[in-house]
């Protein structure tokens, strides 16, 4: 294979500089980009539905209004109902905390007595004081964090911008998505246009399969956990199940966090082992359904995103850009994965590999 020409080297330098400038601007503007990125993601996710309405001879603007209206009609009542149920469960949970502490003390008392027999200097009173002191400090810390979040003008500004700007950006992105793609396509270098389009289609396939599929898995899994835990009578079952489902987009983290939280509440709440086993059974059944039915059917095994790579991307994105980084972590992981595979295929065809 012939060596790259000076013109090709200059092209590579240009694209690397452009990418570096883009990454720098994203990092600098990370505090204001969240509603815009959220709007773009919503437009991308809803574009296939708007295209289906277009094929029914509905104009793109009317299709955009119709899609967003349907989403609002479904989501707003669901969110209101969910918030109401969670608020009710939180009130019940707060009222039940003293009873939980008494129940926990009775359950761990045999273990403390057994430990005291082996270690005479082990004092049950000191352990109780230690636990109560740490619990008090933990509640004070949690209260301070919540108060800071509520009273922070910056946090309030972010929430308002997310609620007000995101729908507007989503509307324009959804309405003009096809035109946007055509304009980007017209700017591609003619010499490499076919290769770029092929890689873009591979990236789109991975992102759409993973994000839309994983979103469906999270919703279904969260619904199953919430209904199952509420059905067995677990306090905060709705909240714990919903959170476990939502964070299931991080491989293994959602199920582990949900299981530990649910089992801790169940151990404090129930005096019998049967409901505790039922709580554990909800998570075991949920994991069975996710691993054998939901993920294979809705996400598929061909998206090319290994769970470890997804976890690393989410962790790196969260550390670098906060919540914005979590939103763009999976798309960036998909892009990097496709480009790395493309680079490896080029490398295997080069003289550097063959010779």
């Amino acid at each position: 294979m012939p060596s790259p020409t000076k013109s090709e080297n200059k092209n590579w330098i240009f694209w690397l500089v452009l990418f570096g400038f883009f990454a720098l601007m994203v990092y600098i503007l990370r505090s204001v980009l969240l509603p815009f990125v959220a709007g773009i993601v919503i437009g991308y996710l809803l574009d296939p539905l708007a295209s289906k309405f277009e094929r029914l001879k509905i104009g793109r603007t009317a299709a955009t209004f119709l899609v967003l209206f349907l989403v609002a009609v479904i989501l707003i009542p669901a969110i209101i109902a969910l918030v109401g149920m969670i608020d009710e469960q939180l009130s019940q949970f707060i009222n039940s905390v003293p009873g939980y502490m008494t129940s926990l003390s009775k359950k761990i008392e045999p273990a403390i007595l057994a430990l005291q027999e082996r270690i005479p200097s082990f004092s049950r009173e000191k352990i109780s004081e230690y636990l109560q002191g740490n619990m008090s400090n933990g509640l004070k810390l949690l209260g301070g964090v919540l108060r800071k979040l509520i009273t922070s003008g910056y946090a309030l500004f972010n929430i308002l911008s997310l609620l007000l700007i995101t729908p507007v950006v989503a509307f324009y992105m959804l309405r003009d998505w096809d035109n946007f793609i055509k304009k980007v396509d017209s700017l591609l270098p003619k010499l490499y246009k076919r290769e770029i389009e092929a890689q873009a289609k591979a990236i789109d396939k991975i992102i759409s399969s993973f994000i839309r599929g994983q979103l469906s898995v999270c919703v279904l899994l969260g619904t199953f956990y919430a209904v199952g835990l509420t059905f067995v009578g677990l306090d905060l079952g709705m909240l714990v199940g919903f959170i476990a489902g939502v964070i299931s987009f991080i491989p293994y983290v959602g199920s582990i966090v949900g299981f530990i939280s649910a089992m801790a509440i169940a151990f404090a709440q129930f005096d019998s082992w049967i409901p505790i086993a039922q709580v554990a059974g909800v998570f075991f059944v949920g994991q069975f359904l996710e691993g054998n039915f939901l993920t294979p059917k809705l996400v598929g095994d061909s998206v090319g995103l290994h769970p470890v790579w997804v976890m690393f991307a989410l962790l790196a994105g969260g550390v670098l850009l906060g919540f914005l980084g979590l939103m763009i972590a999976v798309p960036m992981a998909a892009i990097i994965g496709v480009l790395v595979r493309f680079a490896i295929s080029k490398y295997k065809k080069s003289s550097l590999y063959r010779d």
Side-chain angles (χ1 to χ4, degrees):
M1 181 176 287
S3 60
T5 63
K6 290 183 178 180
S7 177
E8 289 175 332
N9 287 331
K10 288 181 179 179
N11 289 339
W12 277 108
I13 293 173
F14 169 78
W15 289 112
L16 286 174
V17 170
L18 185 64
F19 175 77
F21 176 75
F22 173 77
L24 178 63
M25 293 305 297
V26 169
Y27 183 77
I28 293 173
L29 300 174
R30 64 190 183 279
S31 59
V32 298
L33 284 178
L34 180 59
F36 297 94
V37 173
I40 293 172
V41 171
I42 292 173
Y44 173 77
L45 293 175
L46 297 179
D47 177 64
L49 186 57
S51 298
K52 288 182 179 179
F53 283 124
E54 268 194 300
R55 288 194 286 271
L56 297 175
K57 307 301 180 181
I58 300 176
R60 184 71 184 191
T61 302
T64 301
F65 273 114
L66 184 57
V67 169
L68 293 178
F69 174 75
L70 291 175
V71 170
V73 166
I74 295 172
L75 285 184
I76 291 177
I79 292 173
I80 292 174
L82 183 65
V83 169
M85 286 186 287
I86 290 175
D87 180 64
E88 182 181 353
Q89 288 197 350
L90 276 174
S91 300
Q92 294 176 355
F93 178 76
I94 292 171
N95 294 330
S96 303
V97 166
Y100 289 164
M101 298 306 300
T102 303
S103 175
L104 276 174
S105 299
K106 290 180 179 178
K107 289 175 181 177
I108 64 175
E109 188 172 2
I112 293 177
L113 292 174
L115 191 59
Q116 194 171 12
E117 290 178 0
R118 296 192 177 191
I119 307 175
S121 60
F122 185 82
S123 173
R124 185 173 59 181
E125 289 74 14
K126 289 183 179 179
I127 293 297
S128 299
E129 291 176 3
Y130 176 78
L131 291 175
Q132 291 176 0
N134 278 275
M135 184 174 294
S136 176
N137 292 333
L139 290 174
K140 287 180 181 178
L141 179 62
L142 180 60
V145 171
L146 291 175
R147 193 180 302 112
K148 188 174 181 180
L149 286 175
I150 294 172
T151 59
S152 172
Y154 181 71
L156 183 61
F157 172 78
N158 279 338
I159 294 173
L160 289 176
S161 64
L162 193 65
L163 293 175
L164 297 176
I165 298 175
T166 299
V168 177
V169 176
F171 170 79
Y172 283 109
M173 289 304 301
L174 187 57
R175 189 192 69 175
D176 301 328
W177 187 267
D178 293 338
N179 294 330
F180 176 74
I181 296 298
K182 289 178 182 178
K183 288 181 180 179
V184 172
D185 188 66
S186 67
L187 296 174
L188 295 178
K190 294 183 178 180
L191 183 61
Y192 305 106
K193 188 174 182 177
R194 289 187 178 180
E195 288 185 340
I196 294 175
E197 287 178 342
Q199 302 312 309
K201 288 179 180 178
I203 291 170
D204 176 65
K205 181 181 178 182
I206 291 176
I207 293 177
S208 61
S209 298
F210 187 87
I211 294 182
R212 293 189 181 104
Q214 195 63 50
L215 185 62
S216 301
V217 170
C218 290
V219 171
L220 292 174
L221 203 59
T223 303
F224 174 81
Y225 284 148
V227 173
L229 294 176
T230 304
F231 181 77
V232 300
L234 183 74
D235 289 344
L236 287 185
M238 182 69 68
L239 180 61
V240 172
F242 178 73
I243 292 175
V246 167
I247 61 177
S248 291
F249 70 94
I250 308 175
Y252 310 115
V253 172
S255 57
I256 293 173
V257 171
F259 178 78
I260 293 175
S261 303
M263 292 303 292
I265 296 174
F267 186 73
Q269 177 185 350
F270 300 117
D271 294 324
S272 171
W273 284 103
I274 294 177
I276 296 176
Q278 290 174 338
V279 170
V282 169
F283 279 92
F284 287 130
V285 173
Q287 284 303 293
F288 176 79
L289 293 175
E290 180 191 7
N292 294 277
F293 297 100
L294 296 179
T295 299
K297 295 292 183 182
L298 298 175
V299 180
D301 300 324
S302 60
V303 296
L305 290 176
H306 194 277
V308 175
W309 177 230
V310 173
M311 284 191 285
F312 173 78
L314 289 167
L315 180 61
V319 169
L320 292 175
L321 301 174
F323 188 72
L324 174 65
L326 293 177
M327 291 188 65
I328 65 175
V330 171
M332 290 303 300
I335 292 171
I336 293 173
V338 170
L339 295 181
V340 167
R341 286 192 288 272
F342 176 72
I344 290 173
S345 67
K346 286 290 186 181
Y347 162 70
K348 288 187 175 181
K349 295 177 183 178
S350 68
S351 58
L352 183 64
Y353 175 78
R354 292 180 178 178
D355 297 340

